[in-house]
Amino acid sequence: MLLKEWSLFIDSVRSFFKDRGYLEVHTSIFQKYPNIDPHVEPFSLELSGNCPKRVWLRTSPENSMKKLISKYRTDMFQIGKVFRRDPCSKIHRPEFTMLEWYRIGKDYNYLIQEIGDLLKYLGVSQDYEIIRLEHAFEEYTGVVLSEDEEIFKNNLISYGYPFKDDEDWESIFYEIYIQMERHLGKEKPTFLTHFPTRLSAYAKVEGGYAERFELYIKGVEIANGWTEETSRSEIERRMKLYLQGREMPMDEELLKAYEDFPECAGCSIGLERLFLVLKGFESMDDLEFLI
């Protein structure tokens, strides 16, 4: 029975992290402040009574867990529902189950190895590969990637890729990136690394690259992880950048947590997607228990 297999799958994920000494935590789905992600839109709710007038449904437990990390400085994980204002598709629903975890004193390379161990533990795969994003970009799209917008556009012209004159670097990048994704992780799980600084999100930047990765299995994005940037001023700068043109408040509590934030690495995995590839399914519609 698929429902039982899903339950056992969640139990296995939980056991993996508990056996490694992670503390399981549970944080609120309602948040006083929204997650600020340039590519994710949150749902908001109006409340009455003594509750805050407006709250946001979490798009991930990231903000809440980082506040706990700043206070308790311990390895932790969480499995829970998150909500994103995105269209439904074969591999996405606006509500889904997220695994998120943080390891103190480690970087993204450690997390890649740990995810490799998790994939073995769950019976997904015994092996994986690591590819720099720029190398995958050139191999599967034929385009040499550059963070310089003028150079990037000239490269696209040379390779015959059309784009609009008013399109910016990021818009063009993702149009091509989507074409590349379907080729990734076909033979074995593929970790993309060395992301451009433009796509650093909240990752530490070293040597001209963001220390973050994305995991793909059979053309499906499964995980997103990085070495955490710990500078309060840098986090505030990025949050202000990501808030431009959006009517959402700054999470002052999170910024306060960054006043004394430990070196660590964090990652999130959409568990329904991982379960899909484990079972060999292609669509969320195949998961009969999602009702």
Side-chain angles (χ1 to χ4, degrees):
M1 182 171 59
L2 197 60
L3 180 61
K4 183 176 181 180
E5 291 182 57
W6 168 252
S7 179
L8 292 173
F9 170 76
I10 296 296
D11 287 346
S12 295
V13 172
R14 178 172 283 112
S15 295
F16 176 86
F17 285 95
K18 286 195 170 185
D19 290 347
R20 290 184 168 228
Y22 284 86
L23 177 69
E24 184 172 15
V25 299
H26 305 276
T27 59
S28 178
I29 289 174
F30 284 5
Q31 299 186 144
K32 289 188 294 182
Y33 302 99
N35 299 87
I36 300 172
D37 185 313
H39 305 294
V40 177
E41 288 299 323
F43 291 99
S44 65
L45 296 173
E46 301 293 330
L47 302 183
S48 60
N50 294 326
C51 296
K53 183 177 180 181
R54 188 183 187 191
V55 296
W56 280 262
L57 297 182
R58 66 184 183 187
T59 60
S60 86
E62 178 179 359
N63 291 9
S64 299
M65 292 181 74
K66 285 181 175 178
K67 293 169 189 177
L68 293 178
I69 288 170
S70 178
K71 183 175 182 179
Y72 295 104
R73 302 176 113 71
T74 188
D75 304 327
M76 62 182 67
F77 78 100
Q78 182 167 182
I79 297 172
K81 292 294 186 180
V82 298
F83 306 85
R84 298 185 174 188
R85 193 186 290 274
D86 296 326
C88 291
S89 70
K90 289 176 62 177
I91 59 170
H92 179 75
R93 294 290 183 271
E95 174 191 350
F96 62 97
T97 310
M98 179 176 283
L99 161 68
E100 183 141 346
W101 75 99
Y102 293 87
R103 192 70 157 180
I104 305 297
K106 299 296 184 180
D107 65 9
Y108 77 122
N109 290 305
Y110 175 89
L111 291 185
I112 289 174
Q113 296 175 15
E114 188 161 61
I115 293 172
D117 293 340
L118 175 63
L119 297 179
K120 289 180 184 179
Y121 184 82
L122 296 174
V124 177
S125 177
Q126 295 295 311
D127 196 12
Y128 61 86
E129 63 180 353
I130 301 173
I131 302 176
R132 294 169 68 110
L133 187 150
E134 59 196 315
H135 295 166
F137 205 81
E138 186 171 2
E139 178 178 354
Y140 294 114
T141 71
V143 176
V144 176
L145 183 61
S146 172
E147 278 210 70
D148 183 289
E149 186 161 322
E150 184 176 352
I151 294 175
F152 185 43
K153 287 183 174 180
N154 286 335
N155 290 344
L156 293 173
I157 292 171
S158 298
Y159 290 102
Y161 274 87
F163 60 88
K164 298 176 183 177
D165 291 339
D166 59 350
E167 282 190 280
D168 60 16
W169 184 96
E170 198 161 329
S171 298
I172 299 171
F173 170 84
Y174 278 112
E175 287 176 10
I176 302 173
Y177 188 80
I178 291 170
Q179 300 175 36
M180 180 188 75
E181 286 181 307
R182 64 176 182 268
H183 299 289
L184 300 175
K186 291 296 187 181
E187 300 299 324
K188 51 188 170 182
T190 299
F191 289 91
L192 285 186
T193 64
H194 292 78
F195 276 70
T197 59
R198 289 171 177 263
L199 306 176
S200 59
Y202 296 110
K204 188 181 291 293
V205 174
E206 293 286 349
Y209 293 95
E211 290 194 357
R212 58 170 294 221
F213 64 83
E214 291 186 2
L215 167 65
Y216 284 84
I217 303 177
K218 301 186 186 307
V220 177
E221 180 189 345
I222 300 295
N224 187 6
W226 51 66
T227 308
E228 295 292 339
E229 173 58 63
T230 58
S231 165
R232 183 194 187 283
S233 60
E234 177 59 19
I235 290 295
E236 184 174 14
R237 184 192 71 80
R238 295 187 197 181
M239 289 175 72
K240 287 179 177 177
L241 177 64
Y242 301 155
L243 278 172
Q244 289 180 3
R246 307 167 81 184
E247 295 184 4
M248 297 191 296
M250 178 83 74
D251 190 337
E252 299 293 342
E253 294 178 354
L254 180 61
L255 288 177
K256 185 173 179 59
Y258 273 103
E259 291 176 1
D260 186 24
F261 198 75
E263 297 289 335
C264 64
C267 185
S268 62
I269 289 179
L271 289 179
E272 284 89 352
R273 286 189 182 184
L274 183 56
F275 188 68
L276 277 181
V277 299
L278 173 63
K279 303 304 296 180
F281 296 149
E282 294 185 355
S283 170
M284 292 293 178
D285 294 336
D286 296 321
L287 303 183
E288 58 191 30
F289 52 83
L290 295 181
I291 57 177

